[in-house]
Amino acid sequence: MRSCWVGHAAHPHWETAVDQVLQQWREAMPWPQDTPLGLGLLYVTDYFSAIAPQVLDRLANEWPGVAQWSGTVGVGVLAHGVEHIDTPAIAVMLCDVSTQACQVFGGATSWGQLRQQGFAVATAMLHADPQTPLLDEMVEELADQTQQGAVFGGLSSSRGDHVQLARTAATPKGEGVYQGGVCGVAWSPSVAMQTRITQGCAPIGVVHTITTAKDNLVLTLNDAPALYALMHTLDVPIDNPRSAVDKVRHTLVGLSAPDQPVLRATGALQDQAIVRHIIGLDPVRHGVALAQAIEPGMQLTFCERNAASAKADLLRVVTEIRDSLEPQGDELPVAGQHHAAGVAAPVKRIAGAVYISCTGRGGPFFGFAHAELQIIQRALGDIPLVGFMASGEIAHRQLYGYSGVLTVFFADTNQAA
C-alpha cells in the first residue's frame, strides 16, 4: 500500500454528503478520477442503510478507477479525528494498493473462491452481520485459514438493515450490497500492517479459576460457589442475592482461555481476554450465567466499564504503534554511514488506518465529543483513518465487546506515495 485518501461528511441528504466527499477527494488527490486504485472502504450510518446501494453506485460511478469496494453500516462512522454518531453521515477511504495485494470477498466472490484461485491470505478484515448464526465459530474458522492465524474487523450496528458492502469486477451491475453473513477484504503478505486491540473495562476483585461449569453457567470458582464469589466482590449479602440485581447489571466478566492469563502485569485485561455480560444468577446451584460458553480451567475476573482505564489502554496501544514506526536495531543509522544518492534511511510511514470501536465507547463514554479519535490523532498524527461504531469487535480469532480495534497499514517505501 502506498497512500490513502479519506472523505467524510454528515448531511441529511445522501446526495449532498456524497458531493462533499467527492469534492474533498478532488482537492486532495494528485490524480484524475479514473486513475487505478485498488480499494475503497465505505462506511455509512444507519440513517443511510436503506439507500446504501445508491451511495455505493454514485461513488463507484464518479470514481471509476477504484477496482473494489468493501464496507458496512454503523450507528456512527469515524474519519480522521471526527466521530459522526447518530446522524446521517458517510466516511470513505480510497487506498492506492494493488489488486494483487488485496481481494474483496462476499457476494459475487466468496472466501472459498479466493482460496481456490490461489490467493495467499495473510489476514483478513471482516464486516459481519451480528445476526449471522454461529458467528463465533465462523470467525475462528476464517482465522485458521489465514497465514497469520488472525483476522480483524467488526459487526455492523444498525436500527435498520445490517448491510454489508462487497463489490468487485465480478459483481453484476447494480449489485454489491448484501444482508447477512460476512464480507470483507483479504490481504496478502505484501501489505505490511499492525492490528492492536484496546479494552474498555477495568477488573474489580481478584482473578478466579473456573473449576466447575456447565454450558454457560459458572458453578464454582476456585472450588467455591461462583455466586458467593460474585456477592463478595460486589459487597452484597450472600443470603440475599436479589439485592445485588442493580450492581450485577453493571458488572461484566473478563475471561481467558485455560492456558492464558486474563490480566497483564499492570492489572489491565490482556488483549486475548474477552468481556461478556452476566445474564443471570442461579440461587439454587449458586451459579452465575454468562453470555458465553465456558469450560473449566478458564480464568475469570469480574470487571466494570471504566473510562479512565479505557483511555489509559488506548494510549498504550497508540504509543506502541508509534514506537514501532521508529528505526530500531539494524535500521538505526550508523555514525559515518552514508546512504546512496536518492536513497533515504528506512523509516516506516503509516499509509492509512481503520479503527472499529464499540457502540458503547466513543466520545460519550470518554467524556467529550471525538475524544477517542483525538487520542489516536495526537499520538499518530493526522493519518488517513476511517472506521465505524460496531456492535461487536473482531481481533485475533474471536469476538470482543466494549473494545476498539486499530489497524494501521504501513506505506510501501519502495514505491512513490
Side-chain angles (χ1 to χ4, degrees):
M1 186 177 296
R2 292 169 287 271
S3 294
C4 298
W5 294 267
V6 170
H8 63 102
H11 198 279
H13 300 295
W14 72 268
E15 297 98 331
T16 303
V18 171
D19 285 341
Q20 292 178 7
V21 166
L22 293 172
Q23 185 60 33
Q24 292 168 31
W25 286 343
R26 293 188 188 106
E27 294 174 355
M29 292 184 66
W31 304 313
Q33 294 166 217
D34 59 352
T35 300
L37 296 173
L39 178 67
L41 297 175
L42 168 61
Y43 299 112
V44 302
T45 61
D46 56 351
Y47 285 86
F48 291 153
S49 60
I51 50 87
Q54 291 97 306
V55 176
L56 178 57
D57 283 344
R58 175 80 190 285
L59 289 169
N61 290 335
E62 291 285 343
W63 224 270
V66 181
Q68 307 175 100
W69 291 88
S70 183
T72 190
V73 60
V75 295
V77 296
L78 315 173
H80 287 311
V82 179
E83 304 165 350
H84 298 294
I85 301 176
D86 195 23
T87 188
I90 63 175
V92 200
M93 185 164 75
L94 302 184
C95 305
D96 183 14
V97 60
S98 167
T99 54
Q100 306 302 312
C102 69
Q103 290 285 303
V104 168
F105 63 90
T109 304
S110 70
W111 174 267
Q113 287 174 312
L114 286 185
R115 302 191 71 227
Q116 290 173 4
Q117 293 166 4
F119 184 81
V121 183
T123 186
M125 177 169 61
L126 309 180
H127 302 127
D129 185 330
Q131 300 168 348
T132 302
L134 303 176
L135 189 53
D136 281 0
E137 291 86 346
M138 185 180 298
V139 169
E140 187 172 351
E141 181 180 351
L142 291 175
D144 283 340
Q145 295 175 14
T146 67
Q147 294 180 4
Q148 296 179 9
V151 292
F152 64 95
L155 313 187
S156 60
S157 62
S158 176
R159 289 158 292 195
D161 296 334
H162 288 272
V163 297
Q164 320 298 319
L165 313 179
R167 177 173 290 188
T168 68
T171 304
K173 187 176 181 180
E175 297 185 15
V177 178
Y178 309 93
Q179 293 190 48
V182 178
C183 296
V185 184
W187 302 93
S188 82
S190 66
V191 181
M193 67 180 73
Q194 187 177 130
T195 295
R196 296 297 179 90
I197 182 169
T198 175
Q199 304 275 20
C201 296
I204 54 176
V206 300
V207 174
H208 307 272
T209 298
I210 299 175
T211 46
T212 311
K214 180 176 175 57
D215 298 325
N216 68 326
L217 182 66
V218 182
L219 294 171
T220 63
L221 296 170
N222 303 327
D223 294 320
L227 182 59
Y228 292 176
L230 174 61
M231 297 299 100
H232 177 75
T233 300
L234 300 182
D235 194 24
V236 296
I238 292 177
D239 58 353
N240 186 17
R242 294 186 183 278
S243 66
V245 170
D246 287 340
K247 286 188 175 181
V248 170
R249 286 196 183 112
H250 295 92
T251 303
L252 304 158
V253 297
L255 296 165
S256 70
D259 58 344
Q260 295 177 338
V262 70
L263 297 182
R264 298 174 177 273
T266 59
L269 290 173
Q270 288 274 11
D271 283 358
Q272 292 80 9
I274 56 174
V275 175
R276 293 293 185 263
H277 287 280
I278 296 173
I279 60 174
L281 306 177
D282 188 336
V284 175
R285 290 180 287 182
H286 308 299
V288 178
L290 309 180
Q292 174 74 26
I294 46 182
E295 58 181 299
M298 298 176 74
Q299 287 195 359
L300 177 152
T301 182
F302 298 108
C303 54
E304 61 185 4
R305 298 188 64 207
N306 184 285
S309 175
K311 180 179 179 181
D313 200 52
L314 180 56
L315 283 169
R316 172 190 64 83
V317 164
V318 292
T319 299
E320 289 174 355
I321 291 176
R322 184 185 63 202
D323 290 346
S324 73
L325 297 172
E326 300 296 329
Q328 297 178 10
D330 56 6
E331 294 182 345
L332 291 171
V334 178
Q337 183 182 69
H338 299 281
H339 292 277
V343 179
V347 177
K348 289 182 181 178
R349 177 178 67 84
I350 294 176
V354 175
Y355 187 58
I356 298 169
S357 182
C358 177
T359 55
R361 291 170 61 100
F365 177 59
F366 285 87
F368 59 92
H370 319 303
E372 191 171 16
L373 292 189
Q374 289 179 12
I375 291 172
I376 297 173
Q377 193 175 50
R378 282 196 294 269
L380 301 181
D382 191 22
I383 61 174
L385 179 149
V386 293
F388 70 101
M389 309 295 291
S391 61
E393 302 74 60
I394 300 171
H396 307 308
R397 50 191 299 106
Q398 61 194 26
L399 299 179
Y400 289 83
Y402 301 111
S403 64
V405 177
L406 175 63
T407 299
V408 297
F409 302 96
F410 297 119
D412 183 350
T413 55
N414 295 321
Q415 301 186 46

